[in-house]
Amino acid sequence: MSAVTIEAWIKALGKNHDELLAQGVHFKRPPKALYPDCDLVDMAPEVGISLTFWAETKRLETLFVTLKKSTPSTVEYKGELPAPYESEMTQSDVHALFGEPMESTGPIKMPQPMGQTGGWESYPLDPAIYPGKKVVFQYTAAMEVKTLVFTLIDKGHD
């Protein structure tokens, strides 16, 4: 997947599945729920990339880009990323690029197979280009960026 395609997915956050189809976006499979009556449906357009839609409205709410393997079943994305994102980033790099986060949670210990994490930090994206969107950096215990999470600031539900 190209950096341009990822950029297009970020801009598509907030649009519903039908709007995306009408704009010419093609999906190999429709989004699927992890279990019956789940509020979210997911799809993986490429290895290491996951899209999450709100089941009720089919609105695209979150784009996950996995950069580091954190569990045995985790698959890393190996393609291009839009600037300023890099496949190898640390918390220090993020702070140098984005400054102080708007939200954060420190390191926590999760049940196995995840184990110790480095927490996460979120930053609003440029409102002129990405209105109502933010990026969340999830960290490994060594404070390397594990996952880039692009999502809506206000999803309108819990």
Side-chain angles (χ1 to χ4, degrees):
M1 186 172 288
S2 71
V4 171
T5 303
I6 291 178
E7 183 102 11
W9 283 121
I10 298 167
K11 289 179 179 175
L13 291 169
K15 295 182 179 177
N16 72 33
H17 191 263
D18 291 339
E19 286 177 277
L20 295 171
L21 290 173
Q23 290 177 352
V25 176
H26 299 286
F27 299 101
K28 293 177 186 172
R29 293 180 208 108
K32 266 186 140 172
L34 193 57
Y35 54 88
D37 298 324
C38 184
D39 290 334
L40 302 171
V41 292
D42 301 296
M43 64 184 329
E46 181 160 322
V47 171
I49 303 280
S50 178
L51 303 172
T52 300
F53 295 79
W54 183 246
E56 186 178 324
T57 61
K58 298 280 193 291
R59 181 177 67 173
L60 177 59
E61 294 192 343
T62 309
L63 163 66
F64 295 90
V65 181
T66 302
L67 303 177
K68 300 274 183 219
K69 190 173 182 78
S70 59
T71 67
S73 63
T74 302
V75 184
E76 298 170 349
Y77 172 70
K78 298 292 186 187
E80 299 175 354
L81 294 169
Y85 309 100
E86 300 285 336
S87 58
E88 297 288 332
M89 295 177 76
T90 65
Q91 185 183 48
S92 296
D93 297 329
V94 171
H95 289 178
L97 287 167
F98 292 92
E100 288 296 313
M102 69 178 196
E103 303 170 298
S104 67
T105 296
I108 56 172
K109 188 164 183 133
M110 299 290 288
Q112 290 300 327
M114 283 197 69
Q116 185 65 44
T117 73
W120 58 267
E121 297 175 324
S122 71
Y123 297 84
L125 293 175
D126 182 344
I129 302 170
Y130 310 102
K133 297 165 187 157
K134 67 181 177 180
V135 60
V136 179
F137 295 91
Q138 296 178 342
Y139 299 108
T140 66
M143 302 314 285
E144 298 169 310
V145 176
K146 169 182 73 168
T147 310
L148 297 171
V149 183
F150 299 94
T151 190
L152 300 172
I153 291 173
D154 181 11
K155 295 178 182 174
H157 59 82
D158 291 332

